[in-house]
Amino acid sequence: MKIAIVILNWNGEKLLEKYLPSVTQFSKEADLYVADNASSDGSVSFLETHYPNIKIIKNNSNGGFAKGYNDALKEVEADIFCLLNSDVEVTENWLEPVKDVFRNIPEAAIVQPKILDLKRKDHFEYAGAAGGFIDQLGYPFCRGRIFQALEKDRGQYDDVREIFWATGACMFIKREVFKHLKGFDEDYFAHQEEVDLCWRAKNSGYKVFYTGKAFVYHLGGSTLDNMNPKKTYLNFRNSLFSITKNLPRRKAMPIIFLRLLLDGVAALRFILQLKLSHCWAILRAHLSFYRQFRKMYRKREKANFILKYYAAKSIVWSHFVNQVRKFNVLVKD
């Protein structure tokens, strides 16, 4: 089983300097690549000087996460691609449990390890935690993370189990599956493109798994902080894209209507918090969604849509009204 670890970089020389040592130390059995999105800092020269054995793929432009990986992975030969953020610190023997999932579960197409917070190593990290899920309205959440509420890691998610989506911060995917799905949707640019990819994978009959037997530490927010207005814009818009593309029409249309209403409530909440830039980000997200609705609708999968896609009815109601902060309270396995 040949694994290629591909780190996407854009002006991340400082991150590469800090986090590449753990990757090179604990990933001897994998091929290492850095896909550079036309950086203007010293990233490439740093790699050429200090890591001559790492293969560098030079993308022609900064096409974001989606296009950056789509372009780079065309040049990588491996059975398994590991997409790894540049701000991730990996741990000893982190690859073996992932390989075990692929060996022991033939239907596993995508696998994610446990993602812990580099700043608080006993807590789960926002981007992925212990595996991703969505609710009936398409809101993403994780075992270990509901909105901004992060659980402490007490070993409660040290299992191997099927999930709905795997984080792009550290995602392992079979090359043949990535190719069959035609990669990420480049209209997303960044954020939630991995949710869409996994949703399309499940619509095509593939399965996504999590293993808590492997873990990494993620800094998070190195490109965009969780409360950056641009991230608000991309998350709100791209979530609507995914619903449009991946649900049957009779389900998608009423859910989109409800989501638009709830987005309005979120915008009002931002106004009350005096976060006007986030309110404006939601408005721009809606305008972009309206402009591209036909385009997204035409991308709908030909495969059978999975009807039981959600793990909870409404995390908005559960979290903000019922004050649910933990996955095991929200979802009874």
Side-chain angles (χ1 to χ4, degrees), residues 97-98 101-102 108-113 166 170-173 208-211:
V98 174
V101 175
F102 284 116
I110 301 170
V111 178
Q112 175 202 309
C170 185
M171 169 193 286
F172 293 78
I173 182 169
V208 185
F209 278 83
Y210 158 87
T211 175

Side-chain angles (χ1 to χ4, degrees), residues 27-149:
S27 312
K28 302 294 186 184
E29 65 268 49
D31 293 332
L32 301 184
Y33 295 79
V34 170
D36 186 75
N37 265 1
S39 293
S40 57
D41 68 353
S43 296
V44 173
S45 59
F46 167 78
L47 290 167
E48 290 172 340
T49 301
H50 297 282
Y51 293 95
N53 293 328
I54 292 180
K55 303 173 183 68
I56 303 172
I57 301 171
K58 298 178 182 179
N59 291 332
N60 293 324
S61 63
N62 178 23
F65 185 97
K67 180 173 171 56
Y69 268 122
N70 284 354
D71 290 347
L73 293 180
K74 293 173 184 175
E75 302 183 35
V76 178
E77 288 294 330
D79 302 308
I80 306 291
F81 297 145
C82 170
L83 315 187
L84 185 69
N85 275 17
S86 59
D87 59 350
V88 170
E89 181 183 281
V90 305
T91 58
E92 188 174 1
N93 199 43
W94 72 295
L95 292 176
E96 200 58 38
V98 174
K99 292 195 288 187
D100 285 343
V101 175
F102 284 116
R103 290 190 194 106
N104 299 330
I105 309 175
E107 61 269 32
I110 301 170
V111 178
Q112 175 202 309
K114 181 194 293 187
I115 313 292
L116 296 173
D117 191 336
L118 187 61
K119 299 183 288 294
R120 292 192 303 168
K121 290 192 171 184
D122 59 350
H123 280 71
F124 290 97
E125 206 274 325
Y126 180 90
F133 296 84
I134 59 173
D135 75 357
Q136 193 169 9
L137 297 181
Y139 286 105
F141 63 101
C142 303
R143 292 202 301 170
R145 189 271 292 176
I146 300 175
F147 289 111
Q148 301 295 325

Side-chain angles (χ1 to χ4, degrees), residues 296-307:
M296 292 298 134
Y297 193 83
R298 287 195 295 267
K299 291 183 180 184
R300 294 163 61 80
E301 296 295 321
K302 298 292 190 297
N304 293 327
F305 295 104
I306 55 170
L307 299 181

Side-chain angles (χ1 to χ4, degrees), residues 301-316:
E301 296 295 321
K302 298 292 190 297
N304 293 327
F305 295 104
I306 55 170
L307 299 181
K308 186 62 174 75
Y309 59 93
Y310 57 90
K313 286 194 173 181
S314 174
I315 61 167
V316 173

